[in-house]
Amino acid sequence: MTLRKTILSGMRPTGKLHLGNYVGALENWVALQQDYNNYHLIADYHVLTTDLDTSHITQDTVDMVIDWLAAGIDPLKSPMFRQSQVKQHTELHLIFSMLITTARLERNPAVKDQVRDLHIENMSYGHLGYPVLQAADILLYKGELVPVGEDQVPHVEISREIARHFNNQFGPVFPEPEPKLTPFARLPGLDGIDRKMSKSGGNTIFLSDSPEDIQKKLRTAVTDPQKVRKNDPGRPEICLVHTYHQKFNAPEAEDIETGCRSGALGCVECKKRIAERISACLTPFREKRAYFDAHPQEVFDILTDGEQRARSRAEHTMADVHAAMHLG
Ligand code: ATP
Ligand code: MG
């Protein structure tokens, strides 16, 4: 009998992870695995909503899982598994698709944002149903908490509605999952404080970047346009590099702020210092990554084990679902 709550969280396997993924999700997952039962989903079916070219999905999955492991996810504590390898996701998705109207899905603000950002003219049936598959992902494990950024809260709300509808119709099987907001929900990219660091934005520092890459990338980071020369006073509140200091160099952030405002500290030096801090923070990742790069079979073994454990939990849930629905 365990009193630990179950957490379900996942990512679409679209390749190497960046600092934004780390501070917004991964860092939190690592911390939460001490006190919760964490399940980590590799949402490979969800990739199909925006990309039907699956030729690189295996490599992208391996790259992402190595980043998870390098950041400190412990596969013994937290099973990691591919959605496509646990068939019950699609089964529960089908049942859930009967419990929600298309009008409700069309009102989902996240879908509206995607239509605008990705210039989608004709959305597929499966893409509109993205949050229904997500509800199945969470509820298959009876997930109670879902650690997400603010943008994902509307999706968790849809999962809650589906769970409630199911329980009212067929009897109490599912918890109503709650979002657990990540403490650092938005890290800016290298191209400006108003822009989110994102893979598709091309403004990232990857967790796998070398110290030289990190130095080079930070040199191009956009800072206060009014601080042209070293001695010009700067405005840290509009500088993304300062955000990085606050996150990765907290003990020195205040001094750096003072130096920037007075003009005593120039951008070149400020960027050099944060590049060193970020590189130092990623050093332990580098060692673990090197290990898994040299032992790729271990990554697949971890997935095979995670998939077995996920399947066993999924079978239990589906037995409850079938019993409640008088199926079979
Ligand atoms: P894409 O550009 O393809 O949407 P992405 O870089 O935004 O990719 P996702 O795969 O969408 O990355 O996000 C994975 C996880 O990382 C999510 O939990 C998301 O909330 C979090 N995340 C992504 N970017 C950031 C960021 N800049 N700051 C904080 N969290 C982030
Ligand atoms: Mg995104």
Side-chain angles (χ1 to χ4, degrees):
M1 178 76 190
T2 168
L3 293 173
R4 283 168 164 243
K5 287 195 169 174
T6 297
I7 283 187
L8 187 292
S9 47
M11 288 186 197
R12 300 199 310 161
T14 48
K16 295 185 173 182
L17 301 183
H18 54 73
L19 279 184
N21 301 136
Y22 178 65
V23 303
L26 205 46
E27 186 181 26
N28 201 29
W29 295 3
V30 174
L32 292 168
Q33 70 184 345
Q34 310 308 332
D35 299 316
Y36 296 90
N37 288 326
N38 283 9
Y39 284 81
H40 294 307
L41 173 88
I42 297 151
D44 49 2
Y45 279 145
H46 272 128
V47 172
L48 303 177
T49 58
T50 54
D51 189 4
L52 292 175
D53 174 5
T54 52
S55 56
H56 41 79
I57 203 161
T58 306
Q59 189 57 49
D60 285 349
T61 298
V62 170
D63 286 342
M64 183 173 84
V65 172
I66 290 183
D67 276 334
W68 287 4
L69 293 164
I73 305 279
D74 176 352
L76 295 176
K77 290 200 178 100
S78 313
M80 305 172 205
F81 52 95
R82 289 162 291 188
Q83 197 177 30
S84 62
Q85 301 309 302
V86 183
K87 305 290 176 220
Q88 290 84 351
H89 286 263
T90 51
E91 190 183 358
L92 193 57
H93 168 258
L94 177 104
I95 294 169
F96 284 174
S97 71
M98 310 298 171
L99 302 180
I100 188 156
T101 64
T102 46
R104 174 68 182 90
L105 292 171
E106 279 158 359
R107 276 204 312 277
N108 171 17
V111 162
K112 288 186 184 163
D113 289 352
Q114 268 199 337
V115 167
R116 187 197 57 219
D117 297 344
L118 303 177
H119 311 289
I120 295 170
E121 281 174 17
N122 290 305
M123 178 167 281
S124 72
Y125 166 63
H127 193 168
L128 183 66
Y130 186 115
V132 185
L133 181 54
Q134 209 171 53
D137 296 338
I138 298 166
L139 293 169
L140 193 53
Y141 304 93
K142 302 194 179 177
E144 294 157 284
L145 292 171
V146 190
V148 285
E150 267 168 13
D151 55 323
Q152 288 288 320
V153 172
H155 284 172
V156 181
E157 182 53 35
I158 291 177
S159 297
R160 293 168 59 80
E161 288 171 25
I162 290 176
R164 210 174 303 139
H165 193 164
F166 185 99
N167 293 344
N168 288 338
Q169 183 71 36
F170 302 111
V173 170
F174 295 112
E176 281 183 35
E178 288 182 30
K180 185 168 173 57
L181 280 184
T182 42
F184 207 101
R186 189 183 170 284
L187 188 77
L190 291 163
D191 53 350
I193 193 151
D194 299 328
R195 312 240 319 150
K196 181 181 100 88
M197 184 176 286
S198 89
K199 229 169 290 161
S200 42
N203 55 4
T204 56
I205 294 175
F206 290 107
L207 301 183
S208 46
D209 279 345
S210 67
E212 297 74 35
D213 290 338
I214 295 173
Q215 285 277 6
K216 222 184 282 167
K217 284 186 174 179
L218 272 161
R219 254 181 251 140
T220 68
V222 173
T223 52
D224 180 357
Q226 286 180 17
K227 187 169 166 69
V228 183
R229 273 172 237 92
K230 177 187 166 211
N231 297 337
D232 295 340
R235 296 169 293 172
E237 66 278 9
I238 63 155
C239 181
L240 65 97
V241 177
H242 190 63
T243 320
Y244 296 177
H245 276 291
Q246 286 171 319
K247 172 66 202 169
F248 297 100
N249 191 18
E252 283 179 7
E254 217 179 293
D255 279 356
I256 283 172
E257 179 171 351
T258 314
C260 173
R261 278 192 207 289
S262 72
L265 179 68
C267 293
V268 173
E269 172 63 19
C270 173
K271 287 174 167 180
K272 191 165 158 272
R273 277 158 74 174
I274 192 59
E276 280 162 10
R277 287 306 311 145
I278 291 174
S279 291
C281 165
L282 297 179
T283 299
F285 295 29
R286 234 166 257 133
E287 286 160 11
K288 280 198 199 151
R289 177 175 301 97
Y291 175 83
F292 287 110
D293 277 339
H295 300 85
Q297 188 53 44
E298 279 192 34
V299 177
F300 288 105
D301 292 346
I302 285 169
L303 291 181
T304 305
D305 173 63
E307 282 153 12
Q308 255 166 23
R309 288 153 72 192
R311 236 174 262 133
S312 137
R313 175 108 174 199
E315 278 166 11
H316 276 103
T317 304
M318 287 315 295
D320 293 347
V321 167
H322 286 162
M325 294 178 78
H326 312 288
L327 295 175

